[in-house]
Structures are given as structure tokens and as C-alpha cells.
Amino acid sequence: MSTSIDTLKEKGRRLRIHSLRATTEAGSGHPTSSLSAADLVSVIFFHEMRFDPADPKNPANDRFILSKGHAAPLLYAAWAEAGILKSEQLLTLRRLDSDLEGHPTPRLPWVDVATGSLGQGLSGGLGEALASRLNGITFDTYVLLGDGECAEGSVWEAAEIASYYKTDNLFAIVDVNGLGQSQHTMDRFDVGRFADKFRAFGWYALTVDGHNYVDIVEAFERCKREGGTQPRAIIAKTFKGHGVSFIENKDNWHGKAVPKADLDKALQELSQPLGSNDWKPNLPPKPATLPPAPSGPIRIEVNRKLGESAATREAYGDALVKLATADSRIIALDGDTKNSTFTEKLQKARPNQFLEMFIAEQNMVGVATGLAARGKIPFVATFAAFLTRAFDQIRMAGISRSNVKFCGSHCGVSIGEDGPSQMGLEDIAMFRAMAESVILYPSDAVATERLVALAVEHKGIVYIRTTRPKTPVIYDNNEQFEIGGSKVVRQSDSDRVAIVGAGITLHEALKAADALASEGIRVRVIDAYSVKPMDEATLLAAAAATDGRMVVVEDHYAGGGLGDAVLNVVIGRARVVKLAVREIPRSGPPEALIDKYGIGSKQIIAAVKSLL
Amino acid sequence: MSTSIDTLKEKGRRLRIHSLRATTEAGSGHPTSSLSAADLVSVIFFHEMRFDPADPKNPANDRFILSKGHAAPLLYAAWAEAGILKSEQLLTLRRLDSDLEGHPTPRLPWVDVATGSLGQGLSGGLGEALASRLNGITFDTYVLLGDGECAEGSVWEAAEIASYYKTDNLFAIVDVNGLGQSQHTMDRFDVGRFADKFRAFGWYALTVDGHNYVDIVEAFERCKREGGTQPRAIIAKTFKGHGVSFIENKDNWHGKAVPKADLDKALQELSQPLGSNDWKPNLPPKPATLPPAPSGPIRIEVNRKLGESAATREAYGDALVKLATADSRIIALDGDTKNSTFTEKLQKARPNQFLEMFIAEQNMVGVATGLAARGKIPFVATFAAFLTRAFDQIRMAGISRSNVKFCGSHCGVSIGEDGPSQMGLEDIAMFRAMAESVILYPSDAVATERLVALAVEHKGIVYIRTTRPKTPVIYDNNEQFEIGGSKVVRQSDSDRVAIVGAGITLHEALKAADALASEGIRVRVIDAYSVKPMDEATLLAAAAATDGRMVVVEDHYAGGGLGDAVLNVVIGRARVVKLAVREIPRSGPPEALIDKYGIGSKQIIAAVKSLL
């Protein structure tokens, strides 16, 4: 044992004091949720984990994720006790000029994934545990969960997939304090029931008294001794606010700081040292390095024939294979749709760079965030419609400024007969609503391959939207694309209207342009393949050239998609007819649906004429 | 027993034939997923369920939800065998002019909730089971799940809450065919493991051979005999494509119709009748009626003082109490945030019209959809940020044209110190992206109460966005509001710019207007409380009066929110400066964040001046 029980107790006492002081100073925060887990965190940080306090980026450090992110004061206190922060810094909690935010974010180097939306930490931890194996760097990952958040299904998605992949380097520690925000939890103090659930999901699980240090330390040892290849869960019975009698296990103390007037009374109960405070870090065994990254952008060869039919979703798979071959950091994740998204191409070509995540999209995104935190470049794919399942996880990946790429296939009504539940019609709006995101929407196979390569180069969230039906190749193999770019695919000196499309609607726009040309009406056609950021200069030039006559057409609902992105650029400079899906679609053949819902060449022609 | 085993076998044979024929005729669909569950469905429909085939809306009918929605051909076949559809109609599957869509939607009177996005049916069924109890009408609800979809966490959210509420009138039947879309499932044929999971979540669970009629019938009987107050799960080992040798338990047959050339070969194997086909419906015991609805709009009294401070989130709770007192169909659901959203007011006033749904937002929305299908008017509340967790369920509620109301509290940076994970900054975009939805965003307590009342009157999805900090009351108690309306709250004959705000930013706009007025600059201020639909006439009049100078300001990310809604109305008629949150915010005091992220009175004043 590296740290004595008495020292661990003393650390726990100090963690409590820090948590109380910081929240009282801030006037808000979650001291009681911090106090219930203080003893668990003491053992995890000061007995179990191996990490170098001077080197947060050491790839061999054990990892810790505070899934119950509202206990942030406790986490910051642990860093202070580990010598990573100064104790005075803790008193800047929740200030505008402090990185010690209300819930942890990766603005701080020791935070891998943002938490605070409950039930997401175990997925992030699973991603890190899988990264350990993939990168060949041995470390353990510890995730501290609250009991209330175990009601989130995403916890059980992570649990079952951790078991499937036998991640014996993943620990879930559940702080069962029995109280939620507004009332008792469903299972209250029934730690046995929590353990049964984890066991049913294939975990090695133990229950402990979460305020008994000997119990906690022994549980970790038993996990290592008896856990075999299973992930490990320690279910700890605790009391919210433990250590301070007037807040301990009391209702209506969730998310409330102890008032300044009562702080001394609280600290008085914690005034007696319980052991020595001399802790030495348990350093990782030896320097470890991540697999090397390519020195610059990867150049891929694209070999398509102009005019041939190819689905952009299939080109996505082709591009992944080429890129992942050149960059071992790339890894594809799929939710049992790999034969539709064509990520199976990568699975077949490079099985070690593919992870089947089954039908559990929330966990898939959380795992991707964890993988990205450990240096991987994860590409997450499923039907565009089903990415909505993980919007909260995508939102949190955004707050984490995570380097995760998303691909949504089967967008829009053009998927055809499967019907509205399978049609991605909200996906652009979802990704446009993020503060920092790139949205790429290729119209042909060449563009797809080039855009997937750009996604690898860009650091941050990228969304790639692919189409189910085949579309003709319209770009030369060496055509260059860029994030924030667009292509003018029809143009003349006498363009009377500009049509903006992307994906399948670009081809409808081209058909419309040809038909209009045969009537002597010249139009400009723009492929807005970079939906976010948009190519403002090209759109504004088109607006100027056409006296502000513009049509934008998209296979997406009218709210928040390509059309709205265009409006933001040309507002004040153009009149725009926006064609989009405006009702809940039916099943039917793709072409019939495109026509019925008003986004086909016929409706584009009518829109153009309405502007003349 | 109401139907003999031989007759059930014969029904199963006919269900298989219908499923094969319809999908081959359509040229797509999921025959193998239908065949694995045909025997289960035969027993459920023709032995277990009590329903009147002539009266889909009979409130006492037992309910069936096909959670594995891709087996739609099997469901439609069961209706044909029950005499609800004609056999010929089955051959219109997936046609544009047919309501027999690729996945079931409530366009059909026997479908309560749309399925096809996996893992959602059990929540809908739980909602119906709870409605049975709340309405005092006895019926059972049967949910057929696939094994693959049990990877979705939402299944386990539903499972634990069904157990918590002791819904012994809820059956989950899991069709364990071992094959997903792209490969085997995680647990393959390990039915025991599925049963263990359900048991750990508090269910009475049995395993059966899903092609053995005696087994299946006995399992239902044992459930009723021994299940006690627990919800009941029957885990059935089956084979995908069972009954047709060349597709049975074969890879690469997911979602593929048998080619026309091979159909006869398949049907040949099913050519022998197995029993008689004379089935008599097991009718519900007696006519039942839903609790009465008020005869017209509910009139509520609002008692606020102009200028007093009140949080719109608290007014939401006040309004719920008044409305639910007058209309027993109203029921509030909350995800352990009731002391923040103020739905606890309703819980205290009328405990039978409140359901604590714990920290499991996906299930909460699914349950609401089920409740709405049985005549309730559910109001779902949590922090606006956490509604993103259930975007897929909200999307499916939209496809169901469900009468569910949502309230997202704690929107925007104005929540303050808790930080970005708790800030709803994407919620308007999420609801705007739906085909059919109403978005209401009150700025004061009077407006809130009036808008909640309008939400009750409107049939369909309504989203109400409330604010954490208190804001001054600006409207008279008798002020009238309407869906699609707005309020001009500052106006003169010489308005030079129009400012559009809603919620907290309206108050910033008013501050800006006062400051500008003191400099002699008159501006019009519009409260766009109905974000969707928008009051186009008022906005266009404002654009005309101000020579097209407009500022729109919102406490939401820039993509897809209030600003974009305004752009859609005034495009071609105005130049618009859009103020919105454009980066990931930090923790800090509300006023400081409003200023830092550019949506306060100072920035509004600057935007107005930039247009002059």
C-alpha cells in the first residue's frame, strides 16, 4: 500500500474542507454531493491511481472522470491535495475569470471530457479504456458516478459494451448517497440492487461502505484479484453531506452552498487532523508515447469516372480506408449500420481500426469522446436520423472541444420507402446549433473523399452528411475542396437567378438549370458543400450577379438547415425562395418523395420563375 | 384458452405468408425480422389480447406496440388476420399512396406511437400502462422488442421506472433472434442473460422457445400467476427468417425482401395448413370511457403586479396547477428537476397529476407519448439543455403527431455559474427543426401563464422555454396572447430600428430602448414570444416602418434559433444584425455572461447604431 489509511482519512478530511470553503465562497455549487464521495476520491487519487502530477499529458497516467460533474469542487480539491492546484485557487470556483467552472470542462488540462450532463462519464471512460488497449499503453480508468445518474440509459449502454469488450482496465465507482436533486433516488440505499444490475450486465461488482477506508481499499484489491477480464464496479453506500451533521443526509441541500454564517460551524466538525498529510505520487511505470501522427495532411488518390453513379455513403467508406491506412489514429465506430454507412469497408481492410458499438448511439458518441481524449481521431457513423439519439452527448463533445467526426448516412426523404423514422431531416439543424462545428455535405463521390480527408485535418467536431441513393460523379478526381468553400457548377454572364443546393438537391438543381437553359433562362448553380462555415464571398457574388434572386433547396426540414445558413449570409442582399421539406413525409420511392415534398427540379424551376 | 394451439399455429403460418408476400411485392422491407416474431405475435394477438377489431379507439382495448418497428409487415399481417385490414391491402406496403408505411406510424388508427427508431417502444408502453391506472380503465400493454434494440439505454430507463411504478399491466416480449442489421447481436442467443438483466431491473422474467406455442402460452400464464406487482418480460429464443429454410438464421438477410423469383420456393415451405383459421376476438369486458375533457378553453385568473419580479419557470408551475385543476387530462412529468422547473407545485397541489420520471429523459419523453396516446395531456419538464438527451424521442413524438408539451427551464447563459453543460443553447433549434411544432418563449410571468394555457388548447407538440432568473412583469393580467402572435412593447411614429427579442433578451432590449430614447433615437421593440409560428405581419410592418433596419437578440446559439426564425420572415425586406451566443460559454454571474457573450443592452445599442 502506497498510502496509509490514516493519511487517506486526512486527505478525505481536507477534501471536505476545500469543498465547503470553495462553494461557500462562490455562493453556489454542490458541497453535499462532494462530501458523500470525498472518501472514495481520497482512495482513488491517493492510493489507487498512478499519475504524474507534474505532467497531465503523460499518456501512461491513469485517468479519472467525474461523471457526477456537479461534484466539481471535490475534483478540484483532489488536484489541490495532489499539488496540481494551489489551495487558494480553489476559492476562484465559478468565477468568470477562473477555469474552475461549475462543472468540469477540458479548459483544465486534467479534464478529459466535460461532464455535468449526467450519465455520460462511463462512456467516456470506456473510450479511454479502449484507447489504452488500441494504443498499447497500459493505464486504468476510474469513473465516479452518482446513484441518481444511473437512471440514465446511457450508463447501461456503456456497461454492456464495456463487458462485451472485456475492458478490465475500467472501474466504475458509484456513490450511492440515496438523494437526487429533488427527492430520494429510485433505489435509495439499495447498493445490492446496483451491484446486481452491474453483474447482470457482465461486470465484477462489489458493495462497500463508502465512508470506511479499509472497506474501500480492500474492494479495489479484490477487484484486481478476482475481477478477471470483467470491468469492475464498486458500489458504495454513502451519505450526502457526510462529515457535517447539519447537512448530512438531509433533503433540500442539493446544489446549495453552506451560508457564510454557518461555514465555521461546519468546519468545526472537520477540525481534527486524522493522520499525516505526506503523500507521494504513484508515478506511471515508464515514459510512454502515443503512436506517431503523419507529419502533414494525408494525400489520397481519388479514382472516379465523371458521370458514373456512386453513393456518397459508399465513398465515405472508401475514403476512410485510405485515410486510416495512412494515419493509425483514425478509428471508425458504428452502431450496427456498417453495411449501410459502409464503414464495413474499414472493418474489412483494417479490423483494428474499427469498433462495433451496437445499437447504442449515446454510448458510441461518449466512447468517441474518450478515444479522442487519448489521441485517437474517431469517426462515428450511423443513419443521420439516429444521431439525434445522442444530441446531448454531441453537445457535450462540443463543450469538450473534442476531435470527433460524425457521419450521418440516409439523410432526407431521398432514402425512400423506409419512411420518416429512418429519414435524417433535422441533422443539419442539430450540428448548426453547436457553437463550434463544421458541416460538410458532399454531392458526389469525389467530393466525399476529399471532404473526409479535410475532416481529418480539421481539429474539432466535423459532421459529414451522406446520401443513400447513388448520384453521378460531377467533379474531376483532382478537384480541390476546402472547409468554408463552395463550387459554382453552372455559370454564365447572364445568370438571372442563383440556385444553391447540396447533396441530392444539387443534382435536382442541375436538372432544373438544364431545363431552364433550354428555355433561354440562365441560372447559376452553387454546390454549398460546406454548410458551416459557408462560402460567403461566392454567395454574395451570386446575389450581386443575379440582382438578389436566389433559390435554396435542401433535403431537410425547413428549420435550421442549409436554407437558414444561406439566409444568414445573404440577408439584406437577396430575396430567397427556400425549398425544404415542410411536413412529415411518407414511405415511397425516392424520386416520388423528392417531388411530393417540393425539393425536386420541377419545384426549383417554378421557384426560379417566381423570382423573374 | 380462447384459441387452440393449432389455430394459433395456423395464424402464425399465415402471418409468415403475408409478411413474405408484402415485402416481395414492395421490393424492400424486413421479412426475416417478421418471421422470427410471427409465433409470438400469433399468441399475443390471437390468444392474449382483448380488443375489439371493429373499434380501435375503445379505451379498454389491450394495447400492442411494435418496438422493433421494422417488423411492420408482421404487424399489418396480424391486423389482416384479425379482420382489421383486407389481405389485398397488405400488398400496398410502402407505397406512396398507402398508410402501410415502411415503419408503423399513427396514420393508422391501431398504431399508438410511431416506431422504427429502436429502443423506444417500451417507454411508450409504460406510458400506456400508467395511463390505464390513471384513467381507471383496465387493460394490458404488450410491447414486442428485438434483441438488438435492447442495447439502447432507453430500454433500461423504461425497465427500471416500470418496476419502480409496479406496472404489472406491462409485458415486454423480446424476440431474441441473435442477428442485428450488420452482424450478430452482443448477447446472441443468451436468453438467460436477457432475463437476468430484466430481473436485476425488478421485472418478473421468463425465457421461452419463441417458436413453441405451448411454451409461449404457458409463459404468459405463469406471468399472470406469479408476476405479482412486477412488470413482466418474456424472453424468446427465435430464429430470424424462421419457417423458410434458405433465409432462416442466415447473415445478410436483414432488411431484404425475398426476390420475386424465389417467393414461390419460400411459400412452398409454408403451404400446409396447421389448424383451423376460425378465431373469435376476445373483446374487452365492458364499454369504458375516458375521463371527461372540459368543453372549451380553460379560463385562468392571472394575478401579478406590473413591475414585480417573477421567474417564468415559477409561473410555469403556477399555470400548471390552475390548468390541471380544471382539466384532469393534464399531467406533469419531470426528470428529478421539479424544484427547479417548479413542476413540484403541481405535485404538491395534485399529486395524482404528477409523475416523477427520475434522471432518464429519453424514457420520460417516450412515456409522455404513450400517455398522450391514451388521452392524457402530458407536460414534460427538465432543464432545456437536457431535452437534447431525448431529441430522437421528441422527433418520434413528432412523427406520432403526439399531443405532448415540453418545458425547458434554465435556458441560455443567463443561468449563470453552473456553466455550459447546464445551459440550454440549442433547444429552439431542436424544436424549430421539427416539421410540426409550436415554440413559445415568454418574457414575463403573465405571458408564461397565458402561453401554458394556449399550449393546452393546441393539439400537437408545443415547446415552452423558461428562464432561470426573475424578470419584471411587463404585461397586464388580462393581456391576450396567441400562438403566432407577438407584442410590440415600444413603438413611436419615428422608430428608426426594430429590435426583436424574447425571454430575457426582451428585457435587455427594453433597457437598450430606454437608453437610446434618452439619446433621441426611437426604436421599436417586439416581443417575439411565439417563435414558431412567427407573427409575420408585425415583423414585416416593423421592417417597413424602419426602412428595413432590424436587430434580433437571443440567449441561444446563433444557429437555428430566434434569429434564424426572424430571417425567414424578413428576408428581402430587411437588413438584420443578429446577436446570439457564438462561443462555448463559461461559468459566471448571469449579467456578466449576458454582457460577455454579446446579447446585453450594451451590444444591442451598438447594433442599433451600426444600422443608422
Side-chain angles (χ1 to χ4, degrees), chain B residues 319-403:
Chain B
L320 274 187
V321 172
K322 294 176 192 174
L323 291 158
T325 303
D327 188 340
S328 67
R329 298 172 302 168
I330 293 172
I331 183 159
L333 292 79
D334 203 302
D336 191 22
T337 58
K338 58 184 176 285
N339 49 352
S340 289
T341 62
F342 284 101
T343 58
E344 68 177 7
K345 289 182 184 237
L346 181 57
Q347 185 198 32
K348 282 173 187 157
R350 303 184 70 82
N352 292 333
Q353 285 173 263
F354 177 86
L355 282 170
E356 178 55 67
M357 287 283 111
F358 298 95
I359 309 172
E361 296 79 8
Q362 298 200 359
N363 177 65
M364 175 161 64
V365 175
V367 165
T369 308
L371 288 165
R374 301 268 54 77
K376 292 289 180 188
I377 304 178
F379 278 76
V380 169
T382 182
F383 286 19
F386 304 140
L387 286 173
T388 60
R389 190 63 154 258
F391 189 13
D392 196 18
Q393 278 79 2
I394 294 169
R395 180 180 79 88
M396 293 299 289
I399 293 174
S400 289
R401 292 193 159 85
S402 188
N403 192 26

Side-chain angles (χ1 to χ4, degrees), chain A residues 317-341:
Chain A
D318 294 329
L320 273 187
V321 172
K322 294 176 193 176
L323 291 158
T325 303
D327 188 341
S328 67
R329 297 173 303 168
I330 293 172
I331 183 159
L333 291 79
D334 203 303
D336 191 22
T337 58
K338 58 184 176 287
N339 48 352
S340 289
T341 61

Side-chain angles (χ1 to χ4, degrees), chain B residues 248-270:
Chain B
E248 181 162 339
N249 197 26
K250 297 274 196 297
D251 270 325
N252 295 319
W253 269 101
H254 180 91
K256 285 182 191 158
V258 172
K260 281 204 165 132
D262 298 329
L263 181 63
D264 280 346
K265 190 170 69 164
L267 295 180
Q268 184 61 36
E269 297 192 35
L270 296 165

Side-chain angles (χ1 to χ4, degrees), chain A residues 94 151 160 182 336 361-362, chain B residues 151-152 160 182 336 362 418:
Chain A
R94 292 174 162 245
E160 70 201 346
S182 71
D336 191 22
E361 296 78 9
Q362 299 190 63
Chain B
E152 292 284 14
E160 70 200 347
S182 71
D336 191 22
Q362 298 200 359
D418 271 342

Side-chain angles (χ1 to χ4, degrees), chain B residues 302-332:
Chain B
V302 179
N303 292 299
R304 307 276 173 186
K305 281 196 193 111
L306 279 173
E308 76 173 349
S309 270
T312 56
R313 61 181 170 128
E314 187 160 358
Y316 173 77
D318 294 330
L320 274 187
V321 172
K322 294 176 192 174
L323 291 158
T325 303
D327 188 340
S328 67
R329 298 172 302 168
I330 293 172
I331 183 159

Side-chain angles (χ1 to χ4, degrees), chain A residues 103-407:
Chain A
H103 295 75
T105 74
R107 290 189 211 271
L108 294 155
W110 288 92
V111 175
D112 288 337
V113 299
T115 52
S117 180
L118 291 169
Q120 300 196 13
L122 195 58
S123 300
L126 173 56
E128 302 208 276
L130 290 166
S132 160
R133 191 176 294 169
L134 292 162
N135 288 336
I137 298 176
T138 303
F139 60 85
D140 289 329
T141 299
Y142 297 80
V143 181
L144 180 67
L145 296 93
D147 49 348
E149 69 173 316
C150 290
E152 292 284 14
S154 50
V155 171
W156 304 103
E157 294 182 5
E160 70 201 346
I161 293 173
S163 158
Y164 183 80
Y165 284 114
K166 300 186 168 58
T167 46
D168 55 8
N169 53 349
L170 177 64
F171 289 82
I173 301 95
V174 187
D175 173 21
V176 183
N177 63 32
L179 291 176
Q181 173 183 317
S182 71
Q183 64 162 68
H184 64 78
T185 59
M186 261 186 287
D187 291 341
R188 303 200 192 199
F189 292 116
D190 191 347
V191 286
R193 182 155 183 182
F194 278 101
D196 284 345
K197 289 181 184 175
F198 274 97
R199 286 180 195 127
F201 277 73
W203 286 53
Y204 179 81
L206 295 171
T207 62
V208 300
D209 172 350
H211 302 307
N212 181 319
Y213 281 84
V214 175
D215 247 33
I216 304 167
V217 167
E218 278 185 2
F220 279 106
E221 281 172 15
R222 271 191 64 193
C223 281
K224 284 174 218 160
R225 208 164 57 231
E226 299 168 13
T229 60
Q230 299 178 96
R232 295 98 198 271
I234 294 176
I235 318 295
K237 180 170 182 296
T238 65
F239 293 109
K240 211 159 170 171
H242 182 70
V244 176
S245 56
F246 64 93
I247 59 176
E248 182 163 337
N249 197 26
K250 295 273 197 299
D251 270 326
N252 295 318
W253 269 101
H254 180 92
K256 285 183 190 158
V258 172
K260 281 202 164 132
D262 298 328
L263 181 63
D264 280 345
K265 189 171 71 164
L267 296 181
Q268 184 61 38
E269 297 191 36
L270 296 165
S271 61
Q272 293 305 312
L274 300 169
S276 92
N277 190 35
D278 54 344
W279 165 79
K280 288 273 174 300
N282 193 353
L283 297 173
K286 54 176 181 175
T289 50
L290 286 169
S295 57
I298 305 165
R299 295 187 180 283
I300 57 170
E301 288 258 321
V302 179
N303 291 299
R304 308 274 172 186
K305 281 197 195 111
L306 279 173
E308 76 173 349
S309 270
T312 56
R313 62 182 170 128
E314 186 159 1
Y316 172 76
D318 294 329
L320 273 187
V321 172
K322 294 176 193 176
L323 291 158
T325 303
D327 188 341
S328 67
R329 297 173 303 168
I330 293 172
I331 183 159
L333 291 79
D334 203 303
D336 191 22
T337 58
K338 58 184 176 287
N339 48 352
S340 289
T341 61
F342 284 101
T343 58
E344 68 178 7
K345 290 184 182 235
L346 181 58
Q347 185 197 32
K348 283 172 187 157
R350 304 183 69 81
N352 293 331
Q353 284 172 263
F354 177 86
L355 282 170
E356 178 54 67
M357 287 283 112
F358 299 95
I359 309 172
E361 296 78 9
Q362 299 190 63
N363 178 64
M364 175 160 65
V365 175
V367 165
T369 308
L371 287 165
R374 301 268 54 77
K376 293 288 179 191
I377 304 178
F379 277 75
V380 169
T382 183
F383 286 19
F386 304 140
L387 286 173
T388 59
R389 191 64 154 258
F391 189 14
D392 196 18
Q393 278 79 3
I394 293 169
R395 180 181 78 88
M396 293 298 290
I399 294 175
S400 289
R401 293 195 159 83
S402 188
N403 192 26
V404 179
K405 320 302 168 184
F406 297 90
C407 174

